[in-house]
């Protein structure tokens, strides 16, 4: 081969590689619970995420999507190893996860250190968009403070309750949810008289329900979700407490759980950034598409997964699929209103949704929207320096 022909061949090979690189698939690491008490939540998030990708023809920013999945088991002790498998072994371009706040904090630390884009589709850990906030970390869901604070306000101002007992799993999400409720409740004249805890994911509630019955507060505020929420709401009713002491919570207590909770949940008031009966064209088309694809009604977790994919799509469209352009990717998400089934929302400077929080009431198998408890509620983002 003459030097000229060799050079031409090399140039052609380079061009072919470049073309291939431009079209390389975008690797999305889904780190979610696929076992344990939060399994249904992980599955709903994945469903919602994939629904949006399918609606976009399987591509975002011109790139096809490839998935790598890790079951995080909602176990913080395995979280660093699990997230590093995605970052270092699988070389993912983006991580989407997770549900459990303790696991999410380990993921945020790894994402911050490596610079990998992370979109959190549930875990409300205040720290993720507080002291741990970073230009490459986003949340499509909520902070633990948001729905809890709104419920505290409703319990004191609208329901006129004075004394409340709180009960939760003892880990970041439960502790922060209780603090948020206390914040809203006590600012409006209420008082939290006792804070009860069980270890995560324990569901032995009997002794604590006996304690609540003896104390006779005006209300109980509880943070549980998934399988634990089903058990708690049923045990509360089986103890007869739902007849005398109203049970409030963030909407996780009754979202995606009503089939299993049945009669025990009827009439319960909760606050959340999603509800049944919104009846907007955007929500109706989402719900119809979700039901058709999965033969299931969507819940808040499905919406958060769907919106994680919407946020990723907005960022990738702005950089034409080149996810290494992180500043432009972030700027696009920061300036766009996300057209969510929950109602449109914006992303705060700390990268958490600024969104309406609905007051909902359980009616049959629905968490029916009653009113907007808190309009465009932003997390205080304490400790975020960005
Ligand atoms: C959390 O750990 O942040 C969480 C888990 C389930 C529902 C809501 C929050």
């Amino acid at each position: 081969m003459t030097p000229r022909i060799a050079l031409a061949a090399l140039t052609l090979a380079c061009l072919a590689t470049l073309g291939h690189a431009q079209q390389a698939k975008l690797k999305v690491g889904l780190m979610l619970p696929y076992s344990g008490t939060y399994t249904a939540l992980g599955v709903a998030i994945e469903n919602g995420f994939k629904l949006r990708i399918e609606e976009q023809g399987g591509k975002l920013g011109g790139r096809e999507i490839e998935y790598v999945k890790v079951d995080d088991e909602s176990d913080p002790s395995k979280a660093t190893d699990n997230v590093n498998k995605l970052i270092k072994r699988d070389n993912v371009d983006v991580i989407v996860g997770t549900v459990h706040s303790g696991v999410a904090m380990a993921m945020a630390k790894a994402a911050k250190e490596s610079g990998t884009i992370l979109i959190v589709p549930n875990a409300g850990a205040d720290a993720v968009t507080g002291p741990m906030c970073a230009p490459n970390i986003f949340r499509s869901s909520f902070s633990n403070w948001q729905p809890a604070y709104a419920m505290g306000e409703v319990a004191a101002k609208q329901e006129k309750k004075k004394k409340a007992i709180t009960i939760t799993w003892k880990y970041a999400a439960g502790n922060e949810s209780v603090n948020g409720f206390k914040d809203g409740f006590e600012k409006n004249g209420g008082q939290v008289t006792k804070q009860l805890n069980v270890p995560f994911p324990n569901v032995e509630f009997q002794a604590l329900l006996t304690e609540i019955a003896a104390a006779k507060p005006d209300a109980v505020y509880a943070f549980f979700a998934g399988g634990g929420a089903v058990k708690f709401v049923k045990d509360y009713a089986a103890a007869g407490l739902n007849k005398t002491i109203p049970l409030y919570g963030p909407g996780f207590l009754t979202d995606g759980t009503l089939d299993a909770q049945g009669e025990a949940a009827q009439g319960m008031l909760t606050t959340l950034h999603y509800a049944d009966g919104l009846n907007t064209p955007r929500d109706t088309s989402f719900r119809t598409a979700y039901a058709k694809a999965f033969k299931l009604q969507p819940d808040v977790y499905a919406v958060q997964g769907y919106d994680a994919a919407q946020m990723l799509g907005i960022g990738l469209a702005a950089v034409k699929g080149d996810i290494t352009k992180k500043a432009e990717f972030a700027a696009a998400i920061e300036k766009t209103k996300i057209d969510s089934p929950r109602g449109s929302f914006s992303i705060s400077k700390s990268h958490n949704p600024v969104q309406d929080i609905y007051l909902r009431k359980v009616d049959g198998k629905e968490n029916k929207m009653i009113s907007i408890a808190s309009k465009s509620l932003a997390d205080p983002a304490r400790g975020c320096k960005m």
Side-chain angles (χ1 to χ4, degrees):
M1 208 187 300
T2 67
R4 212 185 226 174
I5 294 176
L7 185 64
L10 188 66
T11 310
L12 276 177
C14 288
L15 283 174
T17 312
L18 193 65
H20 178 73
Q22 279 168 352
Q23 284 167 29
K25 288 186 179 171
L26 186 92
K27 257 195 186 182
V28 175
L30 292 176
M31 182 160 154
L32 291 165
Y34 295 108
S35 55
T37 198
Y38 287 160
T39 305
L41 289 63
V43 171
I45 289 168
E46 179 179 335
N47 287 348
F49 189 89
K50 289 188 166 169
L51 176 65
R52 178 65 187 176
I53 304 294
E54 284 309 307
E55 285 177 359
Q56 301 299 298
K59 285 186 182 177
L60 295 181
R63 293 177 70 176
E64 272 178 50
I65 308 294
E66 174 184 346
Y67 297 100
V68 185
K69 284 171 52 166
V70 169
D71 176 8
D72 68 37
E73 303 170 49
S74 295
D75 185 344
S77 74
K78 297 181 182 164
T80 302
D81 279 354
N82 279 331
V83 71
N84 279 329
K85 274 186 213 154
L86 291 174
I87 296 172
K88 296 182 180 155
R89 183 193 66 188
D90 301 321
N91 275 315
V92 298
D93 298 297
V94 188
I95 304 172
V96 175
T98 188
V99 168
H100 184 289
S101 276
V103 177
M105 284 193 277
M107 295 174 74
K109 184 167 181 289
K112 199 166 176 163
E113 284 165 7
S114 65
T116 313
I117 303 263
L118 168 66
I119 304 180
V120 179
N122 183 71
D126 293 345
V128 167
T129 53
M132 304 179 84
C133 73
N136 58 316
I137 299 177
F138 303 86
R139 186 149 51 195
S140 66
S141 52
F142 60 93
S143 75
N144 287 321
W145 178 89
Q146 283 177 307
Y149 181 82
M151 192 69 237
E153 284 191 327
V154 169
K157 286 206 281 197
Q158 179 181 315
E159 299 299 301
K160 313 260 182 260
K161 302 301 177 199
K162 293 282 174 228
K163 304 228 181 271
I165 289 182
T166 62
I167 178 164
T168 182
W169 276 317
K170 189 159 182 54
Y171 80 103
N175 301 342
E176 291 170 0
S177 186
V178 162
N179 288 342
F181 173 79
K182 197 167 178 224
D183 202 1
F185 192 54
E186 297 196 340
K187 255 187 207 153
N188 291 286
Q191 194 197 351
V192 171
T193 52
K194 199 173 264 184
Q195 297 182 200
L196 304 172
N197 301 294
V198 286
F200 177 87
N202 193 324
V203 290
E204 295 310 316
F205 301 122
Q206 218 45 57
L208 297 180
L209 292 175
T210 306
E211 205 174 327
I212 290 170
K216 297 193 178 66
D218 300 329
V220 168
Y221 175 84
F223 170 90
F224 296 103
V230 171
K231 174 82 165 43
F232 182 77
V233 169
K234 289 181 98 169
D235 284 4
Y236 195 85
L241 289 172
N242 61 337
K243 301 275 182 298
T244 50
I245 309 169
L247 174 59
Y248 303 138
F252 316 112
L253 202 54
T254 57
D255 230 79
T257 52
L258 290 175
D259 278 350
Q261 286 165 334
E263 197 47 42
Q266 295 308 304
M268 278 179 62
L269 293 179
T270 62
T271 43
L272 203 63
H273 46 287
Y274 190 54
D276 295 311
L278 294 181
N279 287 331
T280 58
R282 182 71 182 98
D283 190 40
T284 304
S285 69
F286 163 75
R287 290 171 83 98
T288 307
Y290 191 92
K292 189 167 169 224
F294 305 108
K295 315 282 172 262
L296 274 176
Q297 285 305 312
D299 55 19
V300 69
Y301 309 106
V303 172
Q304 294 168 171
Y306 186 85
D307 290 339
Q310 290 215 77
M311 288 164 65
L312 181 58
I314 290 164
L316 281 171
V319 297
K320 299 196 172 50
D322 183 356
I323 200 150
T324 60
K325 294 184 175 160
K326 293 194 181 132
E328 286 126 291
F329 177 95
I333 296 176
E334 284 164 13
K335 68 166 194 262
T336 310
K337 279 223 157 201
I338 289 115
D339 184 19
S340 169
R342 75 186 83 170
S344 73
F345 68 89
S346 57
I347 290 290
S348 69
K349 274 197 178 146
S350 65
H351 292 173
N352 192 64
V354 179
Q355 56 193 340
D356 294 346
I357 305 290
Y358 302 104
L359 176 63
R360 308 117 44 92
K361 185 175 188 172
V362 176
D363 180 0
K365 295 205 172 161
E366 295 201 326
N367 286 288
K368 283 229 167 98
M369 199 271 259
I370 304 226
S371 60
I372 295 178
S374 205
K375 184 89 195 137
S376 302
L377 187 64
D379 179 77
R382 295 178 188 111
C384 171
K385 297 200 176 60
M386 247 209 303

